[in-house]
Every structure is written in structure tokens, then in C-alpha cells.
Amino acid sequence: MKIIYTLQHPQSEHHLNGRVGSWTDWDLTELGAAQAQRIAFHLKEELKDKPVRLLSSDLRRAWHTAQIVGQALNVTPEKEIRLRERNLGEAVGHSVAWLKENLLQPEITIDDRLFPSAQTRREQYVQLKPLLEELLAKEEEILLLVSHGDTLGILHALWLGLEAEALNSIQLAGSAGGVSELWLRGGKRIVRRLSDLSYLC
């Protein structure tokens, strides 16, 4: 059996300052770092020193989270650029208000592009699909992926075997600090929990 934990990084500076997250390299807030410590404590208690491979987005808010968790689990995190948040192009570095006022078109379908150089949700789906296939082919029984909200929403849809077009009508939304647990057992993909916030307590 293979188990994949996914962790959406906890509170980041952009959650408070009204700025776009995306590829802007915000760090965790002081509260976010404390939340990561609590998540790490619960994961350590749950995993009981089992071997874990820890992969993380290279963006600071996720990487900082992975470093905190890795220290608790005595695991060295690895950077995986495909776990980055979706690139919103021209909106990176601007405020959320600026994004809403200047977007090229509303994002209704998976092929809508908010800005000329922004990544569509289909493009992120295509980017994440081979990553998931690679991880499933690895021998590691327990994987922990630290990433971002939009990215994990698409990764979870891939886990469920959904085609890209399904994202035109559904969305799997998580919350900052949410932990999901995915099992592959007997050829069946199981969602044990989705964006569980109890790890923050």
C-alpha cells in the first residue's frame, strides 16, 4: 500500500497583505510558522518514525513549511518545482484588487487565461499528471507533498482519475494548513481525508 499525504502550507504573508500569492515568493507569517510546527508534531505522532519521502514546492512559504516538518520527521525535504502554485503571469507581485481590475478575462473554463503570460488550469493539470504518475511508480510507501491551494486542488482531482474537462464544473478547494491523506490499496485510489484542519490544533 502507498500513502500520500498532501499539505497546503499554513498562513503566509500574502494571506494578510492583500497581495497575489502565485509565484510571488512570500514567506510564512509568525503564526504560519507556529501552525507548521503543530502540523509537524501531529504528523510525527501519526507516522511514528516510519520512512517518509518529503517533496515541496520551492516557493518560500511551502519550503519553509517543509523544512519545519522535515526537521520534526528527521527527513530532508526535496524541492519539486512542479508543486509550485499556478503562475498568474502579469498579476505576480500585484494586489488581489489589481488582479480583479486588470484580468484579461474571467476564469470560467480550464482554458481561460487570466493574463497573457498566466498559466491555465489545463496547463497545470498537464504539468502535474506526469508528476503523480512518477510518484506512484516509486517504491516509497509514504510520501508527503507540501504545496499550494490551486495546485493541490488539481492534484487531488488527478488522484480521483478526473479528466481535465471535469474541472470546468467542479473544484476541490482546500484551506491553509489542511492535510489530505490518499491511499493506493489493491489498485483502488482512496481519499482518507481532504484538507483536514485538525492538525492545526
Side-chain angles (χ1 to χ4, degrees):
M1 184 173 75
K2 184 182 291 288
I3 299 175
I4 300 177
Y5 288 88
T6 67
L7 167 56
Q8 184 174 332
H9 69 79
Q11 189 186 80
S12 166
E13 293 167 351
H14 79 282
H15 291 144
L16 302 181
N17 63 18
R19 312 291 285 186
V20 171
S22 184
W23 279 20
T24 310
D25 207 10
W26 302 110
D27 200 352
L28 297 176
T29 62
E30 185 175 338
L31 173 60
Q35 290 174 329
Q37 292 283 1
R38 289 198 290 274
I39 293 167
F41 170 79
H42 289 299
L43 285 171
K44 181 176 175 61
E45 290 289 301
E46 187 169 318
L47 292 170
K48 301 186 185 303
D49 298 321
K50 294 175 182 174
V52 177
R53 185 180 180 200
L54 174 55
L55 302 176
S56 173
S57 158
D58 64 332
L59 294 174
R60 193 179 309 171
R61 54 197 184 271
W63 183 243
H64 191 177
T65 302
Q67 288 176 308
I68 291 171
V69 173
Q71 184 174 21
L73 300 180
N74 197 28
V75 173
T76 301
E78 306 169 44
K79 290 183 179 179
E80 172 50 75
I81 195 170
R82 288 173 291 181
L83 289 173
R84 272 191 176 196
E85 184 60 293
R86 188 157 53 103
N87 182 8
L88 295 184
E90 285 76 4
V92 171
H94 288 285
S95 68
V96 174
W98 184 94
L99 181 153
K100 292 177 179 177
E101 292 169 3
N102 292 277
L103 55 83
L104 187 66
Q105 61 181 8
E107 191 173 59
I108 298 171
T109 77
I110 58 169
D111 295 307
D112 291 331
R113 197 177 301 278
L114 293 175
F115 296 93
S117 64
Q119 191 177 24
T120 67
R121 287 191 296 154
R122 184 188 295 276
E123 287 168 345
Q124 192 174 38
Y125 179 100
V126 169
Q127 170 182 298
L128 288 169
K129 187 173 183 179
L131 172 61
L132 181 59
E133 291 171 351
E134 289 169 23
L135 295 177
L136 289 175
K138 298 287 185 182
E139 292 185 359
E140 295 92 359
E141 293 183 355
I142 303 177
L143 295 163
L144 175 55
L145 313 179
V146 182
S147 189
H148 311 264
D150 279 359
T151 305
L152 290 178
I154 293 176
L155 188 71
H156 294 151
L158 278 161
W159 176 261
L160 292 171
L162 298 175
E163 297 296 332
E165 286 70 22
L167 298 173
N168 286 326
S169 56
I170 68 165
Q171 181 177 357
L172 297 173
S175 298
V179 175
S180 301
E181 186 179 352
L182 314 172
W183 285 15
L184 179 62
R185 184 174 63 186
K188 181 179 291 187
R189 296 186 183 187
I190 302 165
V191 179
R192 291 275 295 177
R193 67 186 89 195
L194 188 65
S195 195
D196 184 351
L197 296 178
S198 67
Y199 289 77
L200 293 171
C201 301

